[in-house]
Amino acid sequence: MRYSLLFIFCRFRNALLVCLLIMLGFSQAVVAASDAIRFAAIGDYGAAGPDEQAVAELIATWGVDFIITLGDNNYEDGAAETMDDNVGQYYQEYIGGYTGEHGSGSVTNRFFPSLGNHDWRTKDPADPSSVLPQVHLDYFPLLPGNGRYYRFTQGAVEFFAIDSDVNEPDGNTFDSVQGEWLKAALADSTADWKIVYMHHSPYSSENSSSLNGSQ
């Protein structure tokens, strides 16, 4: 039995390139398995316009089973007013429980986003004391777990979406509530392949932000 742990991070400048590399590199590694899967990974993508349209059209030609995201799904401030145009306009056919204006959505959820810092900018507009990114959580009602960090399995692969943002109430460090959850989840997973994905890079050569890990 083969075991692999692959970490996928965001902070890329070209979402088109991210999709292509993840798609080709990973699908080829798994193709020998009896239950091969095909998926796309996109990050820092949530700004409606021709660039996002081009990425969505490319993904459509691949015939992917589902999509994962690496955060910053809804620019600029994670607002409810921009969510459907930034996300649903291009990806509604993958979103389970979809209630937007751009289509009928998916019978089963096939869209698994992780949170980015822009998605945290709008918490619950009706509750100033809220500590959750409620706009994001309401828009994706069929996400597993608490919707902020969670796990799900597709074929021989188990995915672990985690929230790397400093606003996460369960913490984002190794020994936080979320960190302990991830360690336990990885330990009890029996999947051949394990993929952990998030928004902020723990290791990066980028120096534009102190949140991007070791330089």
Side-chain angles (χ1 to χ4, degrees), residues 42 71 82 100 108 122 127 136 138-139 151 154 165-166 204 211 213:
I42 54 177
T82 58
T108 60
T122 301
D127 181 6
H136 178 94
D138 290 345
Y139 194 77
R151 59 195 291 187
Q154 296 281 331
D165 197 83
V166 294
S204 175
L211 297 177

Side-chain angles (χ1 to χ4, degrees), residues 65-79:
D65 301 308
F66 60 97
I67 296 173
I68 66 174
T69 87
L70 312 178
D72 282 359
N73 305 278
N74 182 19
Y75 284 108
E76 182 71 29
D77 297 313

Side-chain angles (χ1 to χ4, degrees), residues 78 80 119-138:
D119 306 309
W120 268 100
R121 289 187 180 181
T122 301
K123 300 176 183 178
D124 186 349
D127 181 6
S129 66
S130 172
V131 296
L132 298 178
Q134 202 61 47
V135 169
H136 178 94
L137 298 176
D138 290 345

